Amino acid sequence: MLLWDTDTRSQRGAPITLPDSAEAGSLDVFTFSPDGRTLLTAGQYNGAGSIRFWGTTSHNQTRPPLNTIEISSAEQLVLSPDGRTLTAFWGPGARGAQIADLTDGKPALLPQPDVNAIALSPDGRVLATACADNTVRLWQLPA
């Protein structure tokens, strides 16, 4: 994975090498932290779902992977503005969404199945889920 400087249009540092690339690993989605110092990647590594955290300057993992969140095939990652709460949405097949407090890594599965999309309010306190039954549900997140 390559990072690019949009001002100079040049590659920033060496490529980030994902672990287990020789194994049946995959990178499904990625997102930057609100401060831009961390890149989060979600995918399958050695047959298990995992979210990894990469320094955008060092290109090294900055903390252990988060393996407790449900990831079958991640479609979207959303971080709260303070960078403490991560929401992951996955599919196809058994679709759903899960939130995790990144300060302690504890995940919580949202009880709504068949999630098609997620969005977080600008203040990071309300999560919206769009569902297959043509409803949008709002979830109050802990402060």
Side-chain angles (χ1 to χ4, degrees):
M1 186 166 37
L2 303 175
L3 297 180
W4 295 87
D5 184 311
T6 57
D7 290 332
T8 64
R9 297 179 186 216
S10 61
Q11 183 178 323
R12 283 183 52 188
I16 294 176
T17 303
L18 299 174
D20 311 322
S21 57
E23 309 273 332
S26 68
L27 172 63
D28 295 326
V29 294
F30 52 91
T31 192
F32 286 98
S33 63
D35 64 10
R37 290 188 270 177
T38 305
L39 179 68
L40 288 76
T41 61
Q44 295 285 321
Y45 304 99
N46 288 328
S50 151
I51 295 174
R52 297 182 187 249
F53 303 81
W54 305 89
T56 56
T57 302
S58 69
H59 294 200
N60 294 321
Q61 290 189 61
T62 58
R63 62 178 277 176
L66 183 60
N67 296 316
T68 56
I69 198 162
E70 174 73 35
I71 298 290
S72 57
S73 179
E75 294 191 19
Q76 188 178 0
L77 296 176
V78 176
L79 273 169
S80 61
D82 64 8
R84 292 179 26 196
T85 304
L86 172 68
T87 305
F89 146 58
W90 70 88
R95 303 172 75 81
Q98 191 167 29
I99 61 172
D101 181 340
L102 294 181
T103 58
D104 62 15
K106 292 183 180 176
L109 181 65
L110 295 177
Q112 176 61 41
D114 297 325
V115 174
N116 291 326
I118 57 177
L120 196 60
S121 65
D123 66 2
R125 309 256 335 251
V126 178
L127 174 71
T129 56
C131 305
D133 62 0
N134 294 323
T135 61
V136 173
R137 295 209 166 79
L138 303 177
W139 308 88
Q140 187 70 41
L141 299 179

